[in-house]
Each structure stands twice: as C-alpha cells, then as structure tokens.
C-alpha cells in the first residue's frame, strides 16, 4: 500500500539526516554556480531584499517584497538555548508540496508570495479575506523565539516575527458553535512539484481546537530572523504551535476555517497510527518506529533531552487535563 512508501521525514532520524545534509550541500553549491551564470536581469529579480548579498543564496526572496516593520522581541518566551544558525533554518526544511527531502529551499523560492490573501471563514461573525500586509499593519507584529521539535527527533530554535493567532481570530469573531480551527496550505501546481505526487491527500490540512487556538503560544509568523518569512519556511504566512510536533505547524496558509468538525489532517489521513490530531511533544511516548527521548539540534548536532510539551507545559498543560482518554502524544 502507498503508506509504506518511504517518506523523507518518516525515516528514523539517524538515517534521514546524513542524506539530507549531503543534499543541502549539493544544493548550495549548485545555487552558487547558478547565481554566477544567471543573466543580470534574472539575478536582480531574485536577489534578496534587505541583505543583497549574492554570497547568501539561501536568503533570496523577490526583491519587491516589503520589509517588515520593526518588531520587538517578547522576552516572556525564553528558549533556554542558542538560536539555530539562520543558514540551517532556511535550507533544512520539511515542505512536501515542494518535494519530500529536506533540500527543497530553492524550489520553494519560486513560489510567488505577493499578492497573498488569507480567507478566514466558517463559523465566524465576520468572514473575510485579508491581505497579508494588511494584517501585519492592522494587528502589529512582535518577535518570539520558540523551540521547534520535529517528530523526526531534530529540533531548531527559531526567531519568528508575527502575531498571535487569537488576534487574527478576534477580527472575524468566532461563533460559540466553532470548536476547531482548520488551516489549509495554498496549492499552486505551477510551482509545487510535490502536488504531482497524487498519493498524498493535498491540500496540506492541519487543525487544532478553539481552546488551543486561543492559547497565547499559538502564533502566526510572517517573518524569520527579522526578515520576511521565506517560502521554504512557510512564507508569507504560517502557523506554529511550539508545544506540538512540527508537522502541526502548517505552512503558507491561504485559508482558515472555523468549524464544529475535528479536522482530519494531512499526516493523520496518511498514517493515523503514527500521526494523530493532538501530537503534543512527549519524550516518554516513542514514535512507533523510534524514540522521542532526545532531539538533535540542527546546526550544532548536539543531542539534548526532549521535554514534555517541548518545555511549554506551564502555558498549555491545562488545555489537556480533561482529555485523558484522548491520544494526546502522537
Ligand atoms: N504545508 C506544509 N506545512 C508543513 C510541512 C509540509 O510538508 N507542508 N511540514 C511540516 C513539518 S513535518 C515540520 S517539522 C515543519 C518544518 O518547518 P521549517 O521547515 O520551517 O523548519 O513544517 C511543517 N509544516
Ligand atoms: Mo516535522
């Protein structure tokens, strides 16, 4: 059956990682070569905005992308470890729409990120379609350094810029009947070769409860390292739930639906025995095929203990006290 197909992020981390790094190195070398050979016009179009440095090919974004307004770092969220190197953060990615290995960043950079709108609809008082720059202006942005724990047992420490999900939801006014929030990633076949892999249940759907959405940690990044969020990291607009495994954090979101039906997510549809709705980080509950006790920090390769709720229990444990019969950890 198709679910036995080997998927990059399902390979136990010990096997997946060396492969991914080799791919990355090759991709970087190829990018360096291409930049030198490209005609001036094409190059200008793709050179990155704020730091126009051809030696940093992994940070290329369309030159006309507006800079983000200045954002203050919110010191309430202390990561307790160093930031991952920017270069690793933007070149080691999971984004299956662009391909099933970690080295898809160059392919993803072809995705147009402006104009970009997000529909927010379903069980709300005031459904709407919002331009991403409009939201940035209306809601305002801050920086938060969050830990990111992938279910594959690697981790990063990421300075996101964005706003709380709850602030977006208050613009549309959730109805009392809304119990869940569903996030849909844009599908753009012209630039997403992964969509041709028709055995995947596109679009990428993720979801959470309305209580989880209202939690202060649920965040909608529009930036990374103070710059506009690059497509490979889910630009221009994604969601992050830092206490859950990374696959819950849907990228390049174009539609958000408030609903009374529990969303069936992309990975849950593919393999519900391994990837469930809740997917809260827990070092004591192994993945069926590997341990979750420790995680490898991308960049340093240091292995550190994994923490319950990825270390965010003070903020979120209360969400789950009445849900003991649910499969909260996978
Ligand atoms: N649309 C979409 N969102 C996605 C994914 C994906 O393949 N498609 N991968 C997820 C996984 S498995 C992880 S670990 C994170 C990785 O985010 P990063 O590349 O910014 O580190 O994005 C998540 N969001
Ligand atoms: Mo992941």
């Amino acid at each position: 059956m198709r679910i036995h197909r080997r998927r990059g992020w399902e390979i136990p981390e010990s096997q997946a990682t060396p492969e991914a790094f080799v791919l990355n190195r090759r991709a970087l070398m190829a990018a360096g070569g291409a930049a030198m050979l490209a005609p001036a016009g094409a190059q200008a179009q793709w050179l990155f905005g704020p730091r126009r440095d051809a030696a940093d090919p992994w940070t290329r974004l369309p030159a006309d992308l507006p800079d983000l307004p200045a954002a203050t770092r919110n010191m309430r969220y202390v990561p307790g470890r160093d930031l991952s190197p920017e270069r690793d953060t933007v070149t080691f990615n999971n984004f299956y729409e662009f391909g099933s290995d970690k080295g898809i960043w160059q392919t993803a950079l072809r995705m147009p990120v402006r104009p970009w709108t997000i529909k927010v609809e379903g069980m709300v008082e005031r459904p709407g379609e919002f331009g991403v720059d409009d939201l940035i202006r209306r809601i305002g942005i801050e920086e938060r350094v969050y830990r990111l724990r992938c279910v594959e047992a690697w981790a990063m420490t990421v300075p996101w810029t964005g706003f709380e999900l709850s602030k977006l939801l208050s613009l549309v006014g959730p109805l009392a009947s809304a119990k869940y929030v569903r996030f849909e990633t844009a599908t753009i076949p012209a630039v997403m070769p992964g969509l041709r892999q028709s055995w995947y249940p596109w679009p990428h759907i993720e979801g959470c409860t309305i209580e989880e959405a209202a939690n202060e940690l649920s965040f909608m990044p529009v930036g990374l390292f103070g710059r506009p969020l690059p497509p490979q990291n889910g630009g221009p607009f994604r969601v992050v739930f830092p206490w859950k495994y990374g696959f819950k954090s849907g990228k390049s979101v174009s539609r958000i639906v408030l609903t009374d039906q529990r969303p069936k997510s992309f990975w849950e549809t593919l393999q519900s025995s391994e990837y469930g709705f809740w997917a809260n980080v827990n070092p004591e509950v192994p993945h069926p095929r590997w341990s979750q006790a420790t995680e490898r920090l991308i960049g340093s390769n240091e292995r550190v203990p994994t923490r319950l709720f990825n270390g965010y229990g003070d903020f979120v444990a209360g969400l789950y006290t009445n849900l003991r019969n649910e499969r909260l950890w996978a």
Side-chain angles (χ1 to χ4, degrees):
M1 258 178 75
R2 67 162 78 129
I3 53 170
H4 295 305
R5 190 178 284 266
R6 243 169 169 251
R7 295 189 294 270
W9 71 264
E10 291 210 323
I11 299 168
E13 211 258 342
S14 54
Q15 288 168 42
T17 303
E19 229 167 69
F21 275 129
V22 170
L23 281 168
N24 264 347
R25 270 198 298 276
R26 278 206 209 112
L28 282 170
M29 277 157 52
M36 281 184 287
L37 293 173
Q43 209 180 15
Q45 197 193 342
W46 288 103
L47 274 179
F48 181 68
R51 198 196 287 170
R52 284 165 201 282
D53 180 354
D56 286 355
W58 59 90
T59 60
R60 288 168 313 169
L61 281 172
D64 56 358
L65 209 59
D67 287 348
L68 293 178
T72 308
R73 182 171 295 180
N74 187 334
M75 299 310 286
R76 184 169 160 79
Y77 311 102
V78 183
R81 64 191 192 205
D82 290 345
L83 293 184
S84 302
E86 180 173 4
R87 180 190 179 123
D88 295 294
T89 308
V90 300
T91 56
F92 180 93
N93 302 101
N94 269 335
F95 202 161
Y96 275 65
E97 285 83 340
F98 293 99
S100 48
D101 64 73
K102 301 287 186 283
I104 50 74
W105 62 274
Q106 291 185 97
T107 310
L109 277 165
R110 283 192 231 124
M111 178 167 67
V113 287
R114 291 294 188 287
W116 192 281
T117 61
I118 303 106
K119 286 191 182 132
V120 190
E121 54 197 13
M123 296 178 162
V124 298
E125 280 163 23
R126 299 173 295 278
E129 182 164 1
F130 304 92
V132 67
D133 298 307
D134 220 38
L135 286 178
I136 293 171
R137 251 192 316 274
R138 278 174 77 175
I139 302 179
I141 55 174
E142 59 177 289
E143 185 179 73
R144 294 188 182 186
V145 182
Y146 278 170
R147 296 178 292 272
L148 172 78
R149 172 58 157 81
C150 176
V151 71
E152 296 167 314
W154 54 262
M156 295 200 200
T157 315
V158 185
W160 305 109
T161 322
F163 45 78
E164 271 180 33
L165 173 57
S166 66
K167 292 190 178 168
L168 173 60
L169 296 185
S170 52
L171 290 183
V172 295
L175 298 173
S177 51
K179 303 282 182 256
Y180 299 96
V181 186
R182 185 168 86 227
F183 301 86
E184 295 182 14
T185 294
T187 51
I188 312 177
V191 294
M192 294 176 164
L195 298 181
R196 293 200 288 267
Q197 300 185 306
S198 56
W199 57 89
Y200 288 116
W202 310 112
H204 188 281
I205 303 276
E206 261 310 335
C208 67
T209 64
I210 198 84
E211 293 80 13
E212 290 175 323
N215 187 272
E216 66 175 89
L217 290 180
S218 301
F219 201 59
M220 309 274 346
V222 295
L224 184 71
F225 284 94
R227 306 198 257 199
L229 189 63
Q232 64 267 39
N233 294 90
F237 185 75
R238 76 180 292 180
V239 60
V240 292
F241 303 104
W243 70 98
K244 294 175 177 286
Y245 289 115
F247 69 88
K248 294 295 297 181
S249 297
K251 292 179 165 181
S252 305
V253 171
S254 60
R255 185 163 176 250
I256 298 175
V257 184
L258 284 86
T259 163
D260 56 3
Q261 307 291 310
R262 181 184 290 192
K264 183 137 190 206
S265 71
F266 182 82
W267 287 105
E268 193 183 0
T269 303
L270 276 165
Q271 188 76 301
S272 63
S273 61
E274 301 189 355
Y275 311 105
F277 173 75
W278 300 99
N280 296 309
V281 174
N282 187 337
E284 290 178 5
V285 179
H287 183 276
R289 290 179 284 126
W290 58 84
S291 162
Q292 296 291 26
T294 64
E295 62 204 50
R296 187 176 62 87
L297 299 180
I298 298 297
S300 74
N301 280 345
E302 190 190 342
R303 196 161 267 286
V304 300
T306 288
R307 298 159 67 185
L308 184 61
F309 291 115
N310 200 22
Y312 294 103
D314 287 350
F315 296 97
V316 299
L319 291 168
Y320 306 102
T321 43
N322 294 323
L323 294 169
R324 302 242 186 256
N325 294 329
E326 293 281 333
R327 209 161 56 96
L328 293 172
W329 315 111

